[in-house]
Amino acid sequence: MIKVSLIVAYDSNYIIGKDGKLPWHISNDLKYFKKLTDGNPIIMGRKTFESIGKPLPNRYNIIITRNQDYEKDNCMIYSSINEAIDGARNYAESNNCKDIFIIGGSEIFMQSMNFIEKAYITEVHKVFDGDAFFEPLNKDWQEISRQYHDNEIEGIPYSFVVFEKIKSQL
């Protein structure tokens, strides 16, 4: 069963970005992101793609944009979250992937919440200035794991937290 997951890092005020970039640098978070998403389809908005600047290697890169003329080499382009998830699911089934990852930004996270079953969150235990936010998870989510890291090297403590959506009782 292919699972749709989100992966995001946010600060104590749910900030996820500033001027199209991460407001912090945490090496282990970037390694965690790579480890989880490697070999899987990733879905992102156009602004997120442009902030990265290129397709991420060893992943099936999907970009959502309203611009019907938008093209990028080695990326699939869709105009809606529904189309993007369908395209990712087809790729995942053909390539034995277990996960589809929604990687941002704010608008794409909000549009995808009804599809997401698992959330991989890096809680950055510091406050940063930013202009892009993550809408906090609601009561439909249950924390299943948490790993705190002091991060003395970069001076920014953080936690890797995993949530699963609570299955509704029918």
Side-chain angles (χ1 to χ4, degrees):
M1 177 78 179
I2 297 164
K3 190 171 284 194
V4 179
S5 301
L6 73 75
I7 186 164
V8 66
Y10 54 67
D11 80 349
S12 300
N13 291 325
Y14 299 99
I15 288 190
I16 62 172
K18 177 162 176 62
D19 301 326
K21 296 184 177 21
L22 288 174
W24 50 79
H25 178 81
I26 301 172
S27 299
N28 281 344
D29 182 47
L30 299 174
K31 290 174 188 166
Y32 180 68
F33 175 89
K34 183 177 190 237
K35 180 181 155 203
L36 287 172
T37 62
D38 198 51
N40 292 295
I42 55 173
I43 298 173
M44 68 197 98
R46 178 193 53 77
K47 290 185 221 169
T48 297
F49 174 79
E50 290 177 354
S51 75
I52 296 168
K54 63 180 194 251
L56 292 175
N58 201 35
R59 296 166 191 89
Y60 186 68
N61 289 257
I62 296 174
I63 303 167
I64 300 174
T65 179
R66 293 180 196 94
N67 179 351
Q68 296 184 353
D69 298 324
Y70 194 79
E71 290 183 23
K72 288 293 170 187
D73 290 343
N74 302 313
C75 295
M76 292 301 299
I77 314 295
Y78 293 101
S79 60
S80 74
I81 191 69
N82 294 51
E83 290 174 3
I85 288 175
D86 286 345
R89 199 174 297 283
N90 289 338
Y91 176 87
E93 286 170 358
S94 305
N95 291 275
N96 297 317
C97 301
K98 293 186 177 120
D99 293 289
I100 296 167
F101 285 94
I102 310 293
I103 69 166
S106 298
E107 195 175 321
I108 300 303
F109 285 135
M110 289 192 316
Q111 291 174 17
S112 63
M113 281 315 234
N114 290 334
F115 300 98
I116 295 170
E117 302 164 70
K118 200 167 193 174
Y120 295 90
I121 296 175
T122 301
E123 292 178 350
V124 178
H125 303 300
K126 213 168 178 180
V127 175
F128 289 84
D129 187 30
D131 53 22
F133 300 86
F134 181 81
E135 185 70 31
L137 298 177
N138 63 24
K139 62 182 176 21
D140 297 338
W141 293 85
Q142 174 181 328
E143 183 178 316
I144 60 169
S145 73
R146 175 178 293 269
Q147 297 174 326
Y148 176 80
H149 301 269
D150 266 342
N151 192 19
E152 293 175 8
I153 295 168
E154 294 158 323
I156 306 170
Y158 61 92
S159 295
F160 292 141
V161 189
V162 181
F163 291 87
E164 281 187 345
K165 191 172 264 182
I166 299 168
K167 307 275 189 249
S168 59
Q169 304 296 321
L170 298 178

